[in-house]
Amino acid sequence: MEPTVLGVIAVALIVGAAVLGRRTGVASVLILLVVGIAIGYLPGFPPIDIPPEWILAGVLPLLLYSSSVNVAFTDFRRNFRAIAGLSVTLVVVTSVAVGFLLYLLMPGLGLAAAIALGAVISPTDAVAATSIAKRLGLPSRLVAVLEGESLVNDASALVLLRSAVAATAGAVSLWEVAGDFVYASALGVGIGLVVGFVTVWIRARISEPVVTTTISFAIPFVAFVPAEHFGASGVIAVVAAGLVTGHRGASRFAANQRISDHTNWATVQFILEHAVFLLMGLELHALIEDVSGEEGGVPFALLLGLILTALVVVIRFLFVFLQMAYLRRSERRLVERGDLHRDSFRDRVEAAPAETERQIRRKSGVLRRLRKHEADSDFYRSEGLEWRESFVISWAGMRGVVTLAAAQSLPPSIPFRSTLILVAFIVAIVTLLGMGGTLPAVIRKTRISGGGEEARQAETHELLDAVNRAAVAVLDDPEQTVIDGVPADPAVLAGLRRRYQRAAAVELAEDSASEIDAISQMRILDERMRQTARAELLDARALGSYSSEAISAVQRVLDIEESRFDAL
């Protein structure tokens, strides 16, 4: 069959799975995984063998960038300790534990190769988990932790895999492994930050949407390739570049750029995520054929896969509950200490004299930091990670595309390579179908709720009202409503005031002195109002006084209105 026909069929399956998933409540990627397995066993269907480099160096950077560019930096900062524990410490613990067990079960494999497989099956894939979590309205903090873990743990696992594979060819000390991890992580962050800041600076100065979109698609590889060339983690570089772009793009890019980026990357992410899960299913038949000729065959690989699945699940549950218990105590102490000292400190700051410009600026900065700490305290107080959240995070430890691609990257010199690849695939498919398929039921049983759709809409409307009030305040300032020394037309002020009260349309009085002058005044004043509204939104985002969902929703409202008004 022609590749073009296969591509069309794949797209049709992806769209069909997405529609079926919305109607049935089952994650569409799980539907495609099952469909892929079924198609792979059809008579006459050719074996599928995708080179792992295509996934690790071609698809993974795009997926990570599309996810990280939409992650709220405030959410990442507030959940950093939880994310770091899950994506670094848990990956190392899981890799070593799996390696030692595998070494005991298969002595001829070697400890380094066994730990390499442990690194392969240690990272989680949050695609199915987060899609279910968002659809069922889970708390935004829980979704942020799962997304953050999936962004960073791929880097930890791949760096550990690289060190373990190197150890199979010669002696590598524990200090060398630790040093390589620190070097790869630090340099990856540095390269990603540089790429993020430079590309944002360049794109902010380009007005052509086609050109800036082209640059956007190149950013993941601009970060990934140099990082890998210098021995750093390309995955971490991509994530860092995405976080910088998402954070700074809100204030540096034009509205039409942000709208275009959101649509383009959502499309890329949708197609690649679903295509990869379909490919995972298609490859199963060929993997089983390869293992059939090895010692132990498929039954041994299946048994080993189930044993390792049980091990990684138990380790994850133990680690998550211990870590979340520690974080709960730590956050409660932080909130209590903050509540105890914050009011008295604020009183002292407000009472302090501020006569010079430098003193006024310094006092304003201290008060702003206090507001930020208050918002953090409110966040930890209202969205603590209790046992229910810990249980859902533990259950959401599905393995996915990185596990399979990393397994296929194992060198041919490793003994039982085909068996190990099939074992990794079994761990991935059992966790995806078993835990991913039952995750909605687990969420319902734990009775976790993010407050409901009405609460989210109320918060969004509250933020939108605050933004609109800041914009309308421009019209109440006589200095702001004077253009070239001439006061603005009252009809223009009235029309803009109605517009920012969400009126259906802006109407100018027919008896205005000059229609051209009125339109020009409206455009200038509207620009001032939009700048004020956006500054108010960015201030709310920096302080973290509203959820990332409300910030994103209001950002889209402002972007759409700005783009529409600019076009008119």
Side-chain angles (χ1 to χ4, degrees):
M1 190 177 294
E2 293 292 330
T4 305
V5 178
L6 291 176
V8 172
I9 294 175
V11 171
L13 290 174
I14 290 171
V15 173
V19 173
L20 182 61
R22 290 191 181 94
R23 293 183 176 179
T24 61
V26 180
S28 53
V29 290
L30 300 182
I31 296 175
L32 282 171
L33 180 63
V34 175
V35 169
I37 294 173
I39 293 176
Y41 275 91
L42 291 177
F45 191 84
I48 301 295
D49 184 19
I50 303 297
E53 293 80 10
W54 289 17
I55 303 296
L56 295 177
V59 175
L60 187 59
L62 293 171
L63 286 177
L64 291 175
Y65 182 82
S66 61
S67 297
S68 59
V69 79
N70 290 315
V71 170
F73 184 79
T74 300
D75 288 346
F76 194 84
R77 174 183 61 81
R78 285 171 169 171
N79 296 298
F80 181 76
R81 288 191 296 173
I83 292 171
L86 292 171
S87 58
V88 179
T89 309
L90 180 57
V91 165
V92 173
V93 171
T94 303
S95 301
V96 173
V98 169
F100 274 101
L101 177 61
L102 196 59
Y103 177 68
L104 294 176
L105 296 177
M106 302 175 68
L109 182 60
L111 182 59
I115 293 178
L117 183 68
V120 165
I121 65 175
S122 59
T124 58
D125 190 324
V127 173
T130 53
S131 64
I132 294 170
K134 291 177 180 178
R135 187 175 66 248
L136 297 181
L138 285 188
S140 58
R141 185 180 188 186
L142 193 149
V143 176
V145 170
L146 292 175
E147 286 183 329
E149 178 193 8
S150 67
L151 287 176
V152 183
N153 65 7
D154 293 341
S156 305
L158 293 175
V159 171
L160 190 57
L161 173 62
R162 182 175 63 191
S163 300
V165 169
T168 61
V172 176
S173 68
L174 179 62
W175 290 111
E176 288 176 321
V177 173
D180 181 51
F181 185 85
V182 172
Y183 170 81
S185 302
L187 185 57
V189 170
I191 293 175
L193 292 177
V194 170
V195 170
F197 279 101
V198 171
T199 53
V200 167
W201 183 85
I202 293 173
R203 294 178 66 200
R205 285 155 177 78
I206 298 175
S207 58
E208 292 81 359
V210 175
V211 177
T212 188
T213 299
T214 304
I215 297 174
S216 174
F217 286 148
I219 292 174
F221 304 104
V222 173
F224 184 86
V225 173
E228 290 292 321
H229 176 74
F230 291 107
S233 171
V235 171
I236 290 183
V238 171
V239 172
L243 288 173
V244 170
T245 304
H247 185 69
R248 293 182 64 81
S251 58
R252 298 293 189 273
F253 295 161
N256 60 350
Q257 267 187 284
R258 286 188 292 269
I259 294 173
S260 176
D261 270 9
H262 178 76
T263 303
N264 292 333
W265 280 110
T267 304
V268 170
Q269 186 175 18
F270 172 80
I271 293 175
L272 290 181
E273 283 177 350
H274 288 74
V276 165
F277 277 87
L278 179 62
L279 287 174
M280 282 179 61
L282 293 174
E283 287 185 307
L284 177 61
H285 190 191
L287 285 173
I288 291 178
E289 294 272 338
D290 291 340
V291 175
S292 299
E294 289 194 355
E295 182 180 353
V298 175
F300 175 73
L302 177 60
L303 177 61
L304 193 57
L306 294 176
I307 292 173
L308 295 183
T309 300
L311 178 62
V312 298
V313 169
V314 170
I315 291 174
R316 183 174 179 86
F317 265 86
L318 292 175
F319 184 90
V320 168
F321 271 87
L322 290 174
Q323 185 198 30
M324 296 309 163
Y326 168 76
L327 287 178
R328 279 197 302 272
R329 288 195 299 269
S330 177
E331 290 171 359
R332 285 170 183 168
R333 287 197 298 267
L334 180 66
V335 170
E336 291 171 359
R337 288 199 303 268
D339 293 343
L340 183 64
H341 302 292
R342 187 182 300 115
D343 292 339
S344 59
F345 182 68
R346 183 193 294 106
D347 292 339
R348 291 198 302 272
V349 173
E350 291 179 345
E355 299 175 356
T356 66
E357 183 178 347
R358 180 180 179 184
Q359 290 175 336
I360 294 174
R361 191 166 56 248
R362 183 178 179 183
K363 182 176 180 178
S364 177
V366 173
L367 290 174
R368 181 180 176 81
R369 285 193 293 271
L370 275 174
R371 291 174 59 196
K372 191 173 184 178
H373 289 311
E374 287 178 355
D376 288 347
S377 295
D378 292 340
F379 173 80
Y380 292 132
R381 187 184 294 109
S382 62
E383 297 202 36
L385 295 171
E386 302 295 336
W387 74 267
R388 290 181 177 87
E389 286 81 5
S390 300
F391 193 89
V392 171
I393 290 174
S394 302
W395 199 265
M398 288 87 78
R399 274 62 181 171
V401 56
V402 175
T403 290
L404 190 59
Q408 292 174 317
S409 69
L410 291 172
S413 59
I414 288 185
F416 314 108
R417 180 178 182 272
S418 296
T419 298
L420 296 180
I421 294 175
L422 182 57
V423 166
F425 188 93
I426 291 170
V427 173
I429 195 170
V430 170
T431 54
L432 279 170
L433 296 180
M435 302 175 73
T438 56
L439 184 59
V442 170
I443 292 173
R444 285 192 291 269
K445 289 291 184 182
T446 54
R447 298 180 180 178
I448 297 178
S449 174
E453 184 64 25
E454 291 184 1
R456 286 194 292 274
Q457 289 183 0
E459 184 187 24
T460 301
H461 291 157
E462 180 185 348
L463 176 58
L464 188 58
D465 288 340
V467 168
N468 287 336
R469 285 195 300 271
V472 172
V474 172
L475 303 179
D476 299 325
D477 185 352
E479 294 183 0
Q480 293 275 28
T481 55
V482 172
I483 302 171
D484 293 334
V486 179
D489 191 325
V492 172
L493 300 182
L496 285 171
R497 202 178 291 275
R498 289 196 303 271
R499 179 172 182 265
Y500 277 83
Q501 291 172 348
R502 299 296 168 244
V506 179
E507 298 179 2
L508 296 177
E510 294 182 1
D511 57 350
S512 297
S514 171
E515 184 178 354
I516 297 177
D517 289 343
I519 292 175
S520 299
Q521 290 175 10
M522 183 172 64
R523 184 168 59 248
I524 294 170
L525 289 175
D526 182 75
E527 174 65 21
R528 293 176 182 175
M529 295 174 73
R530 284 191 280 113
Q531 288 178 355
T532 304
R534 193 165 298 283
E536 181 75 12
L537 177 64
L538 294 175
D539 187 62
R541 186 189 68 165
L543 294 174
S545 50
Y546 291 87
S547 70
S548 57
E549 293 177 339
I551 296 289
S552 298
V554 175
Q555 175 86 63
R556 286 193 293 272
V557 171
L558 296 183
D559 285 345
I560 291 171
E561 292 195 351
E562 180 178 340
S563 178
R564 182 182 63 183
F565 194 77
D566 287 346
L568 292 175

